[in-house]
Amino acid sequence: MRKKRILVTGGAGFLGSHICEKLVNEGHYVYCLDNFFTGKKENIAHLLSNDCFSLLDRDICLPIDLEVQEIYNLACPASPYHYQLDPIQTLKTSVWGAMHMLELAKKNNAKVLQASTSEVYGDPQVHPQEESYWGNVNPIGRRSCYDEGKRCAETLFFDFRRAYRIPIKVVRIFNTFGPRMQPNDGRVVSNFIVQALKNQPLTIYGDGKQTRSFCYVDDLIEGIFKMMDTDSSITGPINLGNPLEYRIIDLAEIILKLTGSKSPIISLPLPSDDPKKRKPNIELAKKNLKWQPTKKLEEGLKETIEYFAQILEEDASLSSGT
Ligand code: NAD
Ligand code: UDP
């Protein structure tokens, strides 16, 4: 296998750190670019001393010049709580970040993969969502900085492809969970597990009848690598996610059962524009990538619960000084 120089933006985040780790293990030279807005040094601590790993502590909103053969563009907060804290920065990160990565790909004739999202379908009126659906997105709401930022990034990817023949790969990622999510991330799986482990109330937004489809991180990362390995005729967009659909209230019950927690479930207001249902059609991924997820929700949750139990224990012993 040829050793490549590869840039992973958002490389200290949940998904990015798994990508960095796999690439280093495969023998590549990895640049991990991150501004640590939601990413954590702990996620990449085990890679820092590796000669084939280099951390670039910087913002993707700044242009960058490097010699690379591949780029995985993941820099962008993914949790609604975090991406709405500074919506203008979120939009810049998606759009300027995509522009800078495409310019870099153009200069190097590098393959560039964009981590797009199921949010490009907004609050979908087609179910399950297939790639040909153009979506139902509010352009001026609280989620728009993320949804429209990611949609604009997709536009840039395809315009660069048409103008300069850049080898692009666009994957639309559906809700993914697993180890290396942060306890304060704010997404539903991490919130419910942390609340259950701390015997705090599980916070359901709205009536909990809205649905999502949850993919375990190892499955998702495998799909991303398979996409990067395709020939240049395959650009995407291609959905990556688990097509099994759950109501949020049912997810809460499963997590209570798996943790053995006695936490009550409470209802909080539903945030505006929260999609009512979401489930990927993954026929394209099955056909073009020979990929589909294999990890059962409960199995993935058990591993994620173990991970959070361990970091909560470490945090507790740090704060008690033991
Ligand atoms: P994450 O928040 O854990 O990771 C994002 C990383 O990007 C963090 O390390 C953060 O510090 C970094 N970052 C944010 N703004 C930056 C900036 N301006 N400059 C440099 N670095 C910056 O989220 P994640 O779940 O790992 O998501 C990674 C990517 O995948 C995101 O682009 C997200 O939109 C996409 N995605 C994820 C999911 C999912 O369920 N995990 C679903 C759809 C799309
Ligand atoms: N949600 C919830 N309680 C929480 C966090 C999220 O009920 O503590 C709901 C949220 O309203 C949404 C779903 O769970 O309907 C998934 O939310 P998440 O933030 O994980 O991702 P989204 O798919 O909305 O981007």
Side-chain angles (χ1 to χ4, degrees), residues 224-243:
I224 287 184
F225 274 71
K226 285 196 164 184
M227 180 63 170
M228 197 53 136
D229 271 353
T230 52
D231 68 53
S232 61
S233 67
I234 304 221
T235 58
I238 202 160
N239 289 339
L240 292 180
N242 192 318

Side-chain angles (χ1 to χ4, degrees), residues 138-155:
N138 174 358
I140 57 168
R142 300 268 175 207
R143 296 176 86 101
S144 312
C145 59
Y146 183 74
D147 300 11
E148 296 291 19
K150 290 285 187 178
R151 284 168 69 95
C152 182
E154 284 199 10
T155 308

Side-chain angles (χ1 to χ4, degrees), residues 22 112 114 137 142 147 158 164 217 242 272 281 312 314 321:
K22 195 164 155 63
V112 55
Q114 168 67 0
V137 175
R142 300 268 175 207
D147 300 11
F158 281 87
Y164 308 111
V217 61
N242 192 318
S272 58
N281 173 323
L312 292 183
E314 282 164 14

Side-chain angles (χ1 to χ4, degrees), residues 59-75:
D59 198 310
I60 198 174
C61 295
L62 299 168
I64 187 162
D65 191 12
L66 281 175
E67 207 179 290
V68 285
Q69 285 91 48
E70 282 182 4
I71 303 167
Y72 291 77
N73 186 32
L74 287 97

Side-chain angles (χ1 to χ4, degrees), residues 177-179 193 216 258 295-306:
F177 71 97
I193 293 179
Y216 187 65
L258 293 177
K295 188 86 146 188
K296 293 206 164 58
L297 178 69
E298 293 209 0
E299 293 311 309
L301 285 174
K302 279 185 201 159
E303 294 193 22
T304 313
I305 289 166
E306 232 171 80

Side-chain angles (χ1 to χ4, degrees), residues 215-216 218-220 222 242 291-297 299:
C215 187
Y216 187 65
D218 291 356
D219 279 332
L220 195 274
E222 192 202 347
N242 192 318
W291 174 87
Q292 64 181 316
T294 57
K295 188 86 146 188
K296 293 206 164 58
L297 178 69
E299 293 311 309

